[in-house]
Each structure stands twice: as structure tokens, then as C-alpha cells.
Amino acid sequence: MKFGIDIGHNCPPDTGARGIRVEDNLTLDVGNRVIEKLKALGHEVIPCKPSSANSVKDSLSQRVNKANANRVELYVSIHFNSFNAQANGTEVFVGSDASKKYAKPVLDEIIKLGFFNRGVKSGSHLFVLRNTNMPAILVEGCFVDSQKDMNLYNAEALANAIVKGLTGQLPTSPVNPVPDEEQNVDTTTLRLQKALNRLKITDKNGKPLVEDNMLGEITSSAVENFQKIVGIAPSGVANTATWNAINLILAKRIIRPNHAGGTVVRYLQYRVGVDNDGVYGPQTEAAIKKFQQQNGLTADGIVGPNSWQKLIG
Ligand SMILES: [Zn+2]
């Protein structure tokens, strides 16, 4: 059978949920194992995750286009949930009734691992299910913010369950075993350090961060600097609001003078050295134009792709 396997997120600004663990790390770990196991059983696999995208919409469109262009027989998107630390369990979304026969066995296999059965659900609101031309399912493996689920979580077992559900075949052990996500190192801090460096946010000594995946006082001081810049309560902890702000800036939306202000405008003001008031007024416009001029760009005050390239690469 020809499968389109879509490893959820992992394509900034398309990033996933965060809880006790990070959805991106889990979808990648489970997804790569599913791909290898399907191939080992003799199936054809088209990996659908793009390597880069300009926006979340672009990321999702590329996934759908890959599946449609390759005429896969079944599209499987792998995700993990996050809600309120209490909710837990597994659910599988389907784009149409025709997809239910694929969803049910996958769900049945996963709940054998001990997860609560949240059922097969209609996913007609989900972009990737709505726009793929073939039967399509989206697996929400479990909740990354549930301690119960994270205690049960095991990438190898989950991948085996998905493959068994999809094919009815018992997966064989991979010839080249997939390393266990580097002994479960959480790469959150490394991602944070990379993101802050890309945004040219410095630590309390005015220096870029060392990208060592070590969360300490220095990285916290850079987080705090960033929070002050974008107007978040400066806690030094990279909470959801902080990551949302980072992702919002990395999305590189076009910003025009008199633009409704907020996070991105405050960030731009920091970069061009004007007061952080979040309003794109005349003073900010003059500073942006000066920045554009200094960088050989058209000095129109509109922060578009070329200006963003100079600002954050
Ligand atoms: Zn997701």
C-alpha cells in the first residue's frame, strides 16, 4: 500500500503543543519509526512534512499537495494533544466516513497501550483532512501535558501500534534501530536558545547565547530581556506567551505604518532603536526607513520579506 505519512509540525512557524514534553519531538520520533516500519513491511511511504514554510498555512498546504501529487492511498497525520493537564487519552480524526475503517483499528491498537479511548472523531474542520483527495486520518497519540499519558508514552510502542492498526501486520524490529530520541533529551532549551539568537536577543551581559541546551541563569536573562521587549511579564521562563511571541515574529508577517501594534511592532522598535510602545507611528516609520536605507532596501517603511531577511534571516 502507498502511505502518505505526515509528521505533524516541525516546520516553524508551524510548531506544535508544549506541555510536560514537546509535541514536535514526539511526532518526529514516532513518525520516523512509523515510516521505517511501514517500509520494512514492504509498503511505499511518501513523507509529507515540508522542510521549510513561510506560514502555518503554507506548511499545511505543502503537506496536502505532497500527498495529492503522489496519489497516496491513505494519508496519516501524526500529532499529540495538549489541553489542561487533566485531559488525557487518544483520539483519531477522520476527514470522511470512508476514512473510519482506517481510523478505528489504529485507535484500538493505541488504547491497548493503556491510553483512554476518546474515540474516532469528525475532523472535517482540519485543513489537512479537508484538502487531501484520499482517505485521511489524523492521530492525536496522547496528551503532552498529561502526566498519566507521558508516563505511558513510549515512541517504539506507539509506532508499533499505529503500524499494526494501519496494516494489520505486526511490525518487525527495524534493521537500523531508530535512536531513542537521544535518551529523551528535551530539546526545548536548544530551540529556545536558537530562536533568541536568531531574534538577536542578548543575555544580561549583552552577549548572544551559547547554544548548549542548558537552561540556566544566562538563558533566563535573555528570555527576560525578550519578554520586556515584547511586553510580557518578565519572568525569565519561556512560557506559552513567550513562545507565541517568538513564533509570531518568526512568522515574518508584513508590517505597515499605522499597523495595529503589539508584539511584532514592539520587536521591530527594539531592533531599530525606538521606544517600545507597540505603535507603528511616524518615529518608528522614520527608523524603519533608515534601517532599510542602511541595508540597501527600498526605504518604504513597509517591513516585507526583504526587510525581515535582513532582520532575522
Ligand atoms: Zn499538532
Side-chain angles (χ1 to χ4, degrees):
M1 191 162 170
K2 189 173 183 178
F3 291 97
I5 300 295
D6 173 28
I7 294 173
H9 311 290
N10 286 285
C11 191
D14 179 356
T15 55
R18 292 170 176 278
I20 297 164
R21 299 184 68 181
V22 178
E23 183 189 0
D24 287 42
N25 296 347
L26 271 52
T27 59
L28 197 60
D29 195 7
V30 172
N32 281 331
R33 290 169 198 261
V34 167
I35 290 171
E36 290 314 311
K37 288 169 189 292
L38 287 171
K39 285 182 182 167
L41 288 169
H43 296 282
E44 193 179 342
V45 178
I46 304 292
C48 297
K49 181 183 81 61
S51 51
S52 68
N54 305 321
S55 63
V56 173
K57 177 83 186 300
D58 177 37
S59 169
L60 299 178
S61 298
Q62 289 189 58
R63 294 165 200 262
V64 166
N65 293 344
K66 192 87 178 280
N68 288 345
N70 284 282
R71 298 176 193 278
V72 303
E73 290 163 79
L74 177 63
Y75 174 87
V76 181
S77 190
I78 297 172
H79 285 258
F80 289 84
N81 247 323
S82 171
F83 185 49
N84 61 0
Q86 300 303 314
N88 61 85
T90 307
E91 57 200 21
V92 181
F93 288 96
V94 293
S96 64
D97 281 351
S99 305
K100 281 185 184 163
K101 66 174 178 185
Y102 300 103
K104 180 79 169 46
V106 170
L107 180 63
D108 288 346
E109 288 299 326
I110 295 176
I111 62 170
K112 281 183 193 168
L113 302 174
F115 296 104
F116 176 70
N117 186 347
R118 301 175 65 89
V120 171
K121 297 183 173 178
S122 166
S124 54
H125 59 293
L126 298 170
F127 184 92
V128 292
L129 298 185
R130 205 171 57 231
N131 292 287
T132 35
N133 297 333
M134 65 292 302
I137 67 174
L138 187 146
V139 180
E140 293 279 6
C142 59
F143 283 71
V144 295
D145 63 340
S146 154
Q147 192 62 60
K148 183 204 167 204
D149 281 6
M150 289 300 92
N151 292 345
L152 283 171
Y153 171 81
N154 175 291
E156 181 70 7
L158 201 51
N160 279 339
I162 292 171
V163 171
K164 173 86 191 302
L166 289 174
T167 63
Q169 295 164 288
L170 209 56
T172 47
S173 297
V175 184
N176 300 312
V178 182
D180 191 16
E181 205 194 306
E182 292 183 318
Q183 282 70 51
N184 289 327
V185 171
D186 191 336
T187 56
T188 311
T189 302
L190 184 62
R191 288 157 54 103
L192 178 65
Q193 291 167 333
K194 283 182 192 259
L196 291 172
N197 281 341
R198 188 173 165 203
L199 295 177
K200 311 270 192 295
I201 306 296
T202 51
D203 66 15
K204 61 180 180 181
N205 303 315
K207 292 191 175 137
L209 293 171
V210 178
E211 295 176 4
D212 59 2
N213 199 25
M214 303 276 281
L215 187 57
E217 191 201 348
I218 296 290
T219 299
S220 282
S221 73
V223 170
E224 200 174 319
N225 284 342
F226 175 73
Q227 290 169 327
K228 285 178 190 159
I229 289 163
V230 298
I232 296 172
S235 62
V237 177
N239 49 17
T240 307
T242 307
W243 273 105
N244 286 346
I246 290 172
N247 288 332
L248 200 58
I249 297 164
L250 293 179
K252 303 206 268 193
R253 295 203 176 86
I254 295 171
I255 303 292
R256 293 184 162 81
N258 304 315
H259 189 277
T263 305
V264 181
V265 172
R266 290 182 67 115
Y267 174 72
L268 288 171
Q269 290 173 323
Y270 157 72
R271 291 299 304 276
V272 298
V274 296
D275 278 348
N276 274 119
D277 64 359
V279 179
Y280 193 153
Q283 203 196 352
T284 306
E285 185 176 353
I288 294 278
K289 284 180 173 169
K290 190 173 162 206
F291 172 86
Q292 291 173 320
Q293 207 164 31
Q294 286 168 342
N295 284 279
L297 303 168
T298 310
D300 57 6
I302 299 168
V303 182
N306 294 334
S307 296
W308 277 118
Q309 182 67 33
K310 293 287 182 193
L311 286 161
I312 60 174

